[in-house]
Amino acid sequence: MKTSPPLKALLCFDAAMRLNSFSLAADELSVTPGAVGQQIRNLEQWLGVALFTRQIRQIQPTLDGQAYWSQIQPSLLQIINASHALRDRHNNNVWLNMPPSLAAKWFARRMAGFLESHPAVALHLSSSTTLADFSSERVDLAIRHFDGHAPELDVELLHQDDARVYCSPAYAEQHGLNSPSDLRRATLLHNTLHPNWPEWLQCFAGIDEQEGRDIPGIHFDQSLMAIEAARRNQGVVITSEWLTQEEVASGALIEPFEQRLPLSKGYYLVQPKHSILRPTVQALKLWLMGEAKAAPK
């Protein structure tokens, strides 16, 4: 029977190749750079070839090292993925990612209901303005606000979005907001998730882009900040009805106009293509789809 190469050394070698650094490999593996260097020397002795050329504070893979890594790296990745899959199959952790505004304004009010109906599930919620990367991040499901086109993912529409205008009742009365053209004397609250003021003004108020730029405005990178500003009588916000349900229900915000701008984007539930979901993940997916279906229109 053939003897096996030192397996711990293979992991050190893989990390060093991926990160191009013994120090970074050591950080990833929670060992010292000297320990990484020793393990790779052990592997080089076992193989009888040099895998790296070493210079001051720099390493460079040899041709043998590069060729060897290209052969073993897919197998190492397969072992890691299979190990994670087996471990995760027998735990109740679920990782969910969504935009920060949706997490704060829509999901936060509902998540207690999921945990009450699934008390054994350990839910891990992350929020980010950037898209979750299923290949490099620990994410089972994600909610994205986009057009639904992602051939590499399985995609389920939760809510087809439109752009609606909101302000406080006091602000509408103070500024005499009786028709869309009255927005000329308002302050427009802009946000990056719904950058739709130019289209809305053109379509419903007859205000072109140049005239729209002359209307006073405040720009926010988070929808929840723009919504809060509208609630505090600072202006008029354009956003999604999914993000304003609580304020509308309490009367803090109203739609001063009935006009709503249809959008090509919506809130979609996404997962890797053809992925087999663990029971706890499947339970969360079905619950999210149910909550979306039951949400007020």
Side-chain angles (χ1 to χ4, degrees), residues 66-209:
Q66 188 66 54
Y68 181 56
W69 186 63
S70 67
Q71 289 181 297
I72 68 168
Q73 201 272 337
S75 297
L76 290 174
L77 183 60
Q78 186 176 10
I79 291 170
I80 292 169
N81 289 339
S83 300
H84 279 288
L86 180 59
R87 183 185 66 179
D88 291 343
R89 197 176 302 134
H90 296 280
N91 70 39
N92 291 325
N93 292 284
V94 182
W95 283 265
L96 174 66
N97 177 272
M98 66 182 67
S101 296
L102 186 67
K105 305 299 293 183
W106 186 83
F107 184 73
R109 297 189 291 123
R110 292 170 166 82
M111 71 179 169
F114 173 74
L115 296 175
E116 287 173 5
S117 59
H118 300 82
V121 174
L123 178 63
H124 303 262
L125 176 64
S126 61
S127 61
S128 174
T129 55
T130 60
L131 300 182
D133 185 349
F134 288 97
S135 64
S136 62
E137 300 176 44
R138 191 153 206 178
V139 180
D140 294 308
L141 296 171
I143 299 177
R144 292 183 179 177
H145 186 265
F146 74 132
D147 62 5
H149 181 68
E152 76 283 6
L153 300 174
D154 284 333
V155 176
E156 295 273 359
L157 177 64
L158 294 178
H159 176 70
Q160 185 63 51
D161 205 11
D162 56 17
R164 307 186 184 192
V165 169
Y166 298 92
C167 66
S168 69
Y171 192 89
E173 181 178 358
Q174 179 183 355
H175 290 78
L177 302 183
N178 299 308
S179 69
S181 62
D182 295 331
L183 288 171
R184 289 180 172 89
R185 51 178 177 265
T187 296
L188 304 183
L189 305 176
H190 302 261
N191 67 90
T192 54
L193 191 65
H194 289 87
N196 306 114
W197 270 123
E199 299 96 323
W200 197 98
L201 293 171
Q202 177 70 54
C203 186
F204 301 120
I207 298 174
D208 63 27
E209 188 171 351

